[in-house]
């Protein structure tokens, strides 16, 4: 019987000649016992397969470039997490029993029309992570006006004066564009530093600042910067809301403070500080009860079983364990 199970699992295996059922048996049993299953959708069709995410090409997101690699994977705050660009990603759900569900049942059909049960080799190795929100796109939702991280990425690309399809060659390329922002911020700060603001002239200075700032920065830079600051909730008042000296002074106070905050750490670290993993966790047994519809990601070797074969697979496992 064991040989039969091994044949089932080895079918369509990638990069493996021999595979012992015991490599995945703990996770297979744990998921069934705790009624927690990890799922992902795909356009590929196969009964079952072993996938090692670390050996596969860098994962492409639905966003058109690779900025996430430098905001998350290269971010020191995420060092304890598996690198998302080299991970297999899906959702964890509570199910009383595994069955032949479809991606539509879990709103996953945008990723493909084949559903797979995912069994990481080591579930609690520190290489499986999840987010408290349903989707990683909501990472910034709790503390900013960004409903989706892709909107933040889009605003950053606009600030970099790059097309959204631009693909960064590496960290040095990403840093070059962050330095470009730093240079523009320095020019803005120097311009602000020349102003002698008081209760009687703040509004006048705001009008002059907005009119003349294009002469010291690239066109559109300040408007793109203000859009980011606005969505990050760092300003109490925005230029459109300024109507007198008092409101102008409030705007300038917050704006100068935020520009200086960027300059003190550099724009790259400023972005890193925003993209902190405060709602993300490396999976531990104590987390199991809180997962239902949450996105997970892992770079562990995984056994994937097509939902259409999941009953057959569990029957074979149960027969073997008798």
């Amino acid at each position: 019987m064991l040989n039969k199970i091994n044949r089932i699992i080895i079918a369509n295996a990638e990069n493996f000649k021999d595979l012992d059922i015991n490599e995945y048996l703990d996770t297979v049993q744990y998921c069934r016992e705790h009624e927690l299953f990890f799922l992902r959708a795909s356009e590929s069709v196969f009964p079952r397969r072993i996938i090692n995410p670390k050996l596969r090409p860098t994962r492409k997101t639905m966003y058109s470039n690779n900025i996430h690699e430098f905001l998350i994977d290269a971010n020191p705050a995420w060092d304890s997490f598996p690198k998302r660009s080299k991970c297999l990603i899906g959702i964890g759900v509570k199910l009383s029993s595994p069955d032949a569900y479809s991606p539509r049942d879990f709103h996953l059909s945008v990723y493909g029309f084949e559903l797979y049960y995912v069994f990481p080799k080591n579930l609690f190795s520190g290489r499986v992570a999840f987010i408290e929100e349903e989707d990683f796109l909501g990472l910034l939702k709790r503390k900013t006006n960004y409903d989706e991280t892709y909107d933040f990425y889009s605003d950053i690309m606009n600030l970099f004066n790059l097309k959204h399809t631009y693909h960064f060659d590496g960290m040095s390329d990403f840093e070059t564009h962050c330095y470009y922002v730093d240079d523009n911020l320095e020019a803005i700060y120097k311009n602000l530093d020349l102003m002698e603001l008081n209760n009687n002239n703040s509004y006048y200075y705001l009008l002059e600042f907005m009119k003349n700032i294009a002469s010291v920065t690239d066109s559109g830079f300040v408007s793109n910067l203000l859009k980011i600051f606005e969505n990050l909730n760092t300003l109490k008042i925005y230029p459109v809301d300024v109507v007198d000296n008092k409101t102008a002074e409030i705007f300038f106070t917050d704006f100068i403070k935020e520009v200086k905050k960027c300059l003190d750490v550099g724009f790259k670290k400023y972005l890193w500080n925003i993209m902190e993993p405060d709602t993300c966790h490396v999976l531990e047994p104590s987390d199991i009860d809180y997962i239902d519809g949450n996105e997970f990601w892992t770079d562990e070797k995984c056994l994937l079983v097509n939902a259409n074969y999941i009953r057959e697979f569990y029957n074979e496992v149960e027969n073997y364990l008798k």
Side-chain angles (χ1 to χ4, degrees), residues 155-310:
D155 285 349
I156 296 171
M157 296 302 286
N158 288 337
L159 191 65
F160 285 165
N161 198 23
L162 295 174
K163 293 182 178 179
H164 292 186
T165 54
Y166 184 87
H167 195 277
F168 295 96
D169 291 335
M171 177 54 80
S172 61
D173 187 17
F174 176 71
E175 289 176 334
T176 295
H177 290 88
C178 288
Y179 296 149
Y180 155 80
V181 174
D182 290 336
D183 289 342
N184 277 280
L185 289 172
E186 187 67 38
I188 290 173
Y189 193 73
K190 287 180 179 179
N191 186 275
L192 292 169
D193 202 37
L194 295 174
M195 298 180 182
E196 297 180 2
L197 300 174
N198 59 55
N199 292 330
N200 297 318
N201 65 14
S202 295
Y203 186 53
Y204 164 78
Y205 269 123
L206 175 64
L207 297 177
E208 290 298 302
F209 173 76
M210 298 306 291
K211 182 173 66 176
N212 299 327
I213 195 62
S215 64
V216 296
T217 65
D218 289 343
S219 176
F221 181 86
V222 171
S223 60
N224 288 324
L225 181 67
L226 285 171
K227 184 180 180 183
I228 290 176
F229 285 174
E230 178 178 0
N231 284 318
L232 292 178
N233 293 323
T234 59
L235 306 179
K236 300 182 187 72
I237 291 179
Y238 305 95
V240 67
D241 301 315
V242 173
V243 294
D244 53 24
N245 285 324
K246 182 178 180 180
T247 50
E249 187 174 8
I250 294 173
F251 162 74
F252 271 125
T253 299
D254 289 342
F255 183 62
I256 293 171
K257 179 180 178 181
E258 200 63 20
V259 169
K260 188 175 186 305
K261 183 178 177 181
C262 289
L263 287 173
D264 285 345
V265 298
F267 192 64
K268 180 182 74 174
K269 290 186 178 180
Y270 178 83
L271 293 177
W272 281 355
N273 291 338
I274 293 167
M275 300 295 292
E276 60 183 357
D278 55 334
T279 59
C280 298
H281 310 276
V282 172
L283 185 65
E284 297 181 358
S286 58
D287 298 318
I288 295 302
D289 292 337
Y290 304 101
I291 297 179
D292 190 12
N294 307 70
E295 181 174 317
F296 80 91
W297 63 100
T298 181
D299 59 7
E300 273 280 348
K301 287 195 303 181
C302 294
L303 164 65
L304 273 66
V305 180
N306 192 299
N308 293 318
Y309 297 89
I310 193 65

Side-chain angles (χ1 to χ4, degrees), residues 71-83:
L71 294 178
I72 299 173
D73 287 355
N75 188 336
W78 292 84
D79 280 349
S80 62
F81 291 81
K83 306 298 184 186

Side-chain angles (χ1 to χ4, degrees), residues 84 89-91 107-108 110-111 131-141 147-150 279 293-297:
R84 284 181 59 85
I89 295 176
I91 64 169
H107 307 289
L108 295 176
V110 66
Y111 302 105
I131 185 169
E132 294 174 13
E133 307 292 336
E134 292 185 357
D135 196 305
F136 196 83
L137 289 178
L139 178 68
L140 301 176
K141 192 172 183 178
D147 288 335
E148 295 188 355
T149 53
Y150 288 163
T279 59
N294 307 70
E295 181 174 317
F296 80 91
W297 63 100

Side-chain angles (χ1 to χ4, degrees), residues 20-72:
D20 189 338
I21 180 64
N22 290 313
E23 287 189 342
Y24 300 91
L25 191 55
D26 286 345
T27 301
V28 169
Q29 289 179 285
Y30 189 93
C31 290
R32 182 67 175 268
E33 291 170 2
H34 290 80
E35 299 182 348
L36 174 67
F37 294 90
F38 299 93
L39 309 174
R40 77 177 262 108
S42 175
E43 294 180 352
S44 300
V45 183
F46 51 85
R48 56 203 63 81
R49 179 173 292 176
I50 300 300
I51 290 180
N52 187 342
K54 293 180 180 179
L55 301 181
R56 294 167 65 85
T58 299
R59 185 182 64 86
K60 295 181 179 179
T61 68
M62 296 184 72
Y63 192 62
S64 54
N65 64 41
N66 61 339
I67 192 172
H68 64 284
E69 295 179 32
F70 308 101
L71 294 178
I72 299 173

